[in-house]
Amino acid sequence: MSEYDVIVIGTGSAACSAALRAAKGGLKVLALEKSRRLGGTSAMSGSGVWIPANHIAKAQGVSDSKQEALDYLRAVQPDDWAEREGARHRAFVENAPTMLKFLSDNTPIDFRLIDEPDPYVEAPGGKKYGRMLSPMPLSRRLVGKYASKMRRSTLPHVFTYQENVNLDLYHRPFLAIMKMWPKVVWRWLNNAGAQGTALMTGLIRACLDAGVTFQLETRAVALVQDDTGRIIGVEVDRGGRKETLSARKGVVIASGGFEWNKEMRERHFPGPIDRIGTPMSNEGDGQKMAEAVGAHLDNMDQANVYVCLPTRYEGKPYGLPINFLYEPHSIVVNRSGKRFVSEAHFNIGEALDARDADGVPKNLPCYLVGDHRFLESSFTFRWYASYERDWVKKANTIDELAGMLGLPAKELRATIDRWNSFCAKSKDEDFHRGEPAWERKKDGGKVRLFPIDKPPYVGLSVNRSIIGTKGGARTNEFGQVLRKDGSIVPGLYAAGLAMANPIGTRAVGAGTTLGPNLTWGFISAETILRQNL
């Protein structure tokens, strides 16, 4: 039996944060990766990292505090989450700045502030600047023999997060490349990338320097318990050969979501789903292993719900997470042909996924409808739409379009007429599109409403796409996995998308997946170190 102090299941941001902290604390650490690529969902991400009261913002004179961050979380999370998730919100806010300082001091990652406000900046504790960060580019060559094993993304990681925003890559890709071509060429020649590539390259390099061992193409299949019920190891499958690995001080499950497990996905997310934009290895292994040893699975109906353009990845149909729902000359309607949300709302995914009391989606199927000028606004959209040639429907009349989409023509006409009346007076009286600070910033600082009145008309499905489920083993504020009765499963920890995440479908910022993921990995390792002094 191979023996380690800590075994981490997964190699994404939560996993590597846990592995690095444990290794820097002097423990022998193994990180398991079931696929042949390192980095998980985090490596594919845009790598927005939401960390309140962080040292980088403080150094630039930005005023923030942990109490303001906690006030913000309480104000913007669903009403019933404040009480049941309060302890974990406090733990995140307390530990996140420490975690970021630890990464800044112990990895080659160069985090920079991003010029984006909290999406609910008007809420108590909201900030216009200082909580959103993303890494500068790093060369994959930093990880040596693992350079070719780093997971690639469907997103253009040759650009940083801030460059992507400033250059408006979605609308002006060719101009962006022309403006940036010396840097683009340099990064290409140096096998460098920003966003998720930089985040995971820096984390894995630091883990290697700290002595963490990585095993690829090794699938964790079961947790091993002793006579008292304590988790003492992991059973793995490597190329059909079973092996038991010992974890003397703890096992951290950070294996990602379950969106590629068809049975689990359909059970917890009934109704249509357009695309998935995460590694196909996210099959719920960690959730199933935790449940098998008595863990309470919770928040299983929560996810990063988004819209994705069709693309291909590793030779298969995939989703590219880009929000195109607030483009000019278009609106989003539900199956009744009615609008139900501001198309520019930061958490429009929550509205797409809204359920009734029985858990059935209220609005699905949903559609974007507009006129031909919607298609003209972005070459990028037209390029990716070509991957599914029957996705975009075109018609000469609204009635004809309604028939193609299966929508009630009378309701759709009434909805579009009402929208056009709002455009005439530049005010969305139903959902106030473009009025909140977040929406104004994304639309050039102005409220700009554009009518749908020039045929041909277009329509396309915009059902939920998933870029990571957020349900899994319930944990306490120390990252320890809990049973249904609230007791601890000794020796077992969970982090990232494999835990019952305390920030669910309703995100509180563009980086409120990665920020908490990194923090919960860090918290889990800190708990292991404290308990094993």
Side-chain angles (χ1 to χ4, degrees), residues 289-368:
M289 284 186 288
E291 187 176 35
V293 297
H296 172 40
L297 300 189
D298 202 6
N299 295 352
M300 295 293 281
D301 62 347
Q302 302 294 301
N304 283 331
V305 179
Y306 210 62
V307 290
C308 285
L309 292 173
T311 189
R312 294 189 71 81
Y313 182 73
E314 297 181 337
K316 297 182 180 180
Y318 241 73
L320 173 65
I322 291 179
N323 189 355
F324 53 88
L325 297 186
Y326 50 83
E327 290 297 289
H329 305 289
S330 68
I331 57 175
V332 174
V333 300
N334 61 18
R335 62 186 178 222
S336 300
K338 297 180 179 180
R339 291 179 72 221
F340 56 95
V341 67
S342 165
E343 292 79 4
H345 194 283
F346 175 75
N347 270 312
I348 193 168
E350 183 182 25
L352 294 174
D353 192 46
R355 321 274 184 97
D356 62 23
D358 296 325
V360 177
K362 293 179 180 180
N363 294 307
L364 302 181
C366 293
Y367 300 91
L368 180 146

Side-chain angles (χ1 to χ4, degrees), residues 341-473:
V341 67
S342 165
E343 292 79 4
H345 194 283
F346 175 75
N347 270 312
I348 193 168
E350 183 182 25
L352 294 174
D353 192 46
R355 321 274 184 97
D356 62 23
D358 296 325
V360 177
K362 293 179 180 180
N363 294 307
L364 302 181
C366 293
Y367 300 91
L368 180 146
V369 295
D371 65 29
H372 69 94
R373 291 169 292 185
F374 163 79
L375 294 178
E376 294 170 359
S377 67
S378 172
F379 170 81
T380 302
F381 178 88
R382 298 193 300 275
W383 174 270
Y384 284 102
S386 68
Y387 282 99
E388 292 183 14
R389 296 192 178 278
D390 61 346
W391 182 37
V392 178
K393 314 294 184 185
K394 297 181 182 180
N396 291 320
T397 67
I398 298 297
D399 285 15
E400 183 184 357
L401 182 67
M404 289 180 171
L405 301 177
L407 293 171
K410 182 178 179 181
E411 287 291 354
L412 184 59
R413 284 199 311 274
T415 296
I416 291 176
D417 287 344
R418 184 169 177 80
W419 169 254
N420 290 343
S421 73
F422 295 159
C423 295
K425 47 192 171 187
S426 297
K427 185 172 181 61
D428 177 4
E429 295 178 356
D430 289 338
F431 301 104
H432 306 285
R433 174 170 165 175
E435 295 176 24
W438 171 269
E439 297 186 20
R440 287 200 308 274
K441 185 172 181 62
K442 291 298 181 182
D443 209 12
K446 300 177 182 178
V447 177
R448 300 189 301 166
L449 309 181
F450 297 88
I452 302 169
D453 58 2
K454 301 290 185 183
Y457 300 100
V458 299
L460 49 130
S461 70
V462 288
N463 300 308
R464 302 162 298 181
S465 290
I466 292 180
I467 50 174
T469 57
K470 304 187 81 172

Side-chain angles (χ1 to χ4, degrees), residues 120-134:
Y120 302 97
V121 67
E122 298 91 347
K127 294 291 179 180
K128 292 182 178 180
Y129 179 71
R131 291 174 173 170
M132 177 70 167
L133 306 103
S134 193

